[in-house]
Amino acid sequence: MAGSISLRALLLSAFASEAIASCAYGTLLQPRAEGGKVEVNTFGYTGKIGPTNWNALDPQANALCSTGVNQSPIDMVAGANAMVPASQLGLEIPDMLEGAEFENLGTTVEVVAGKGTMSFQNNSFTLQQFHFHLPSEHLDAGKSMAMEMHMVWESADAKIAVVGVFIDVDDGAGGSPAGNATATAPPAATPAARKRDGFTKVVRKSTEGKDKRQLPGVGGSFFHVNAPTTAATTASNLLETVFGSVGEISEPGTLTKTKGLSMAELVSTLAAGSFQTYEGSLTTPPCSEGVRWLVSDQKLSIKTSTFHSVQSVIGFNSRFPQGALGEPNALAGIAA
């Protein structure tokens, strides 16, 4: 994979200057903390520690966050990137019958793997961990999904590949919690209609308990949830099992062990589709480039109640979409 040597050098340099648990946490580039200790991140997703200010947190280590031209995540538009059939990856992930360690890193929750193999461009990779972002970091043709799972793989010579999998909620786009009516967006208004049904009138209706509309989203959340035809129609048993333990790691720095995990469902789902692939970056500091991304066109699904349980622990943890590959960084030239 082109750029893998520079990726390793940049990561080692960055991790030497700042203790952060990045997307590469648990790999040779950033070994997992010893003695059962969970590394808690010092960056975040809002305010002074958010993505627009990651460079300022450590200008030397995180320079690519504001200058890199092959940054992730991006919008996964059909035809924009090369497609790789799942059959070419030789994806194998054994069941974790004894369960797996499940950690709260402060900025995400992560399952420790260490088992599973994948091949790409004459490189053999081992699955190290998988973690979650809410909402999705990559966009699906301009639309965000409820969540995204990042499966981090590493080769013997420390090359990094990440498989991205979109996660939807099982009651579809704009779904409200189970048992409630699904919210719908109001139709587009003409200028005359806007004058007739202005802001004052809408507020008055709302205060009277009528016409209580909300924007499309999960339980009224601010982002839109896309429900493509390839989305799973039933909740993923794997994800439901993993997230069944999320309440046990509600505090940063805590860890627990999940119940036994059957990985066959995930492998079968991914094997049924293809992957858009491109060379991008880590989506967390130090934003190092040379990361091989493989974003699946197959989706997983979770129950709405499960989504809210995860949301209560993770909150918001997504880097904003970056520009097209090769274009100047959106933050380039902005004064620190």
Side-chain angles (χ1 to χ4, degrees), residues 1-2 4 81-92 116-126 153-157 159-163 274-280 290-295:
M1 178 179 67
S4 59
N81 302 294
M83 294 297 295
V84 178
S87 58
Q88 293 186 11
L89 299 182
L91 194 67
E92 295 184 3
T117 58
M118 177 182 72
S119 298
F120 183 77
Q121 293 183 341
N122 298 317
N123 290 296
S124 180
F125 295 88
T126 300
W153 305 73
E154 181 182 33
S155 67
D157 56 351
K159 295 175 182 176
I160 300 295
V162 184
V163 170
S274 299
F275 299 81
Q276 281 200 60
T277 184
Y278 73 97
E279 190 171 285
V291 174
R292 172 56 57 184
W293 279 93
L294 296 142
V295 180

Side-chain angles (χ1 to χ4, degrees), residues 34 71 93 100 207 225 253 272 274 284-286 301 312 329 332:
E34 297 180 355
Q71 290 288 292
I93 309 175
T207 56
V225 178
S274 299
T284 61
S301 182
S312 69
N329 192 294

